Amino acid sequence: MPNSSDASKTESRRRGRGRPARLSREQIAGAALEVGLDKATVTALAAHLGVDHSSLYRHVRNRDAIVALAAEMAIAELDWRSPTGADWRVELIKLTDAIWELYQRHPGLAEAFRTMEIMPQSGIRAFAEAVSRLQAHGFLLEDAVLAIDTLVDLVGDCFLGWHALGQADRQQGTRMEAMVAQWRREACALPDHAEQIGGMITVMQGGARPWWERKRDLVLDGLQQRYSPTTR
């Protein structure tokens, strides 16, 4: 039979797990972002919030609904607008830098956007506003849509690619280290192309953000050459 000390500990744990006076969808979304969407299982969120699973299910149907709520909140906090008077290139750099930093701040968010079947409402609104801001700089509608869609896709692809290379491999190193080693072996096996292979090794060793910025600038240079929005 449990003694009084055990009973006291049990009661204390129960009080610690007590449900907050008001558990809201906003609290659940915020907790998912705090935990990280890559780790935001129902079990993990319940523990983080100090509630039972049933409390969560009163507000959300499943993990997909939680991810959707968290994504909506994350986009709403995105600081992507440039100051009044900034040119279109600065606008697009500010937008894509903000997205990259958002993905860094919330692990799992980039993956969540990739697999979502429905875009959060705040994402649709931000997209529409970004297109409108390019139109104000002289872009035609179809050109502005293409520019925003291309850059948003590119920042996500680049971020996810580098993120995957940073994961641990079976030998307890990283996939990046394994990838570099593979390219070095190929450089030795193909001496006629060692210089070109070495160029990509240098890219991989230089880090994600510098390479992303070079890709972004390539797209921006192409936009300038093809559309010349400032001359319209």
Side-chain angles (χ1 to χ4, degrees), residues 51-166:
V51 300
D52 294 325
H53 291 182
S54 59
S55 298
L56 289 174
Y57 287 129
R58 293 189 184 99
H59 300 275
V60 293
R61 295 189 308 276
N62 50 36
R63 183 181 183 279
D64 289 343
I66 293 171
V67 170
L69 280 174
E72 188 81 54
M73 179 177 285
I75 295 176
E77 76 180 34
L78 190 65
D79 179 19
W80 62 271
R81 296 171 182 83
S82 295
T84 302
D87 67 26
W88 66 269
R89 190 180 184 108
V90 171
E91 293 254 17
L92 292 176
I93 290 173
K94 172 73 171 175
L95 171 65
T96 53
D97 281 355
I99 295 172
W100 184 281
E101 289 157 10
L102 190 71
Y103 290 159
Q104 283 187 316
R105 191 159 61 249
H106 299 301
L109 185 60
E111 292 89 338
F113 282 135
R114 179 60 55 84
T115 57
M116 272 184 185
E117 296 182 2
I118 299 176
M119 172 63 70
Q121 186 180 56
S122 56
I124 295 173
R125 291 176 176 176
F127 180 89
E129 184 180 343
V131 169
S132 177
R133 291 169 78 98
L134 280 191
Q135 288 180 281
H137 286 290
F139 280 80
L140 298 178
L141 173 62
E142 62 182 26
D143 298 341
V145 170
L146 179 60
I148 298 297
D149 187 58
T150 297
L151 284 165
V152 170
D153 283 349
L154 187 61
V155 68
D157 289 343
C158 191
F159 183 90
L160 287 172
W162 282 89
H163 176 72
L165 288 175

Side-chain angles (χ1 to χ4, degrees), residues 186-227:
E186 289 301 311
C188 293
L190 300 169
D192 290 345
H193 294 293
E195 179 184 5
Q196 292 77 23
I197 294 172
M200 191 60 204
I201 292 172
T202 299
V203 168
M204 289 188 283
Q205 293 177 326
R209 187 63 180 263
W211 191 238
W212 152 246
E213 290 177 356
R214 292 185 66 181
K215 283 188 172 186
R216 177 204 65 204
D217 289 347
L218 181 66
V219 173
L220 295 180
D221 290 345
L223 286 171
Q224 179 67 63
Q225 290 297 318
R226 181 169 181 177
Y227 299 118

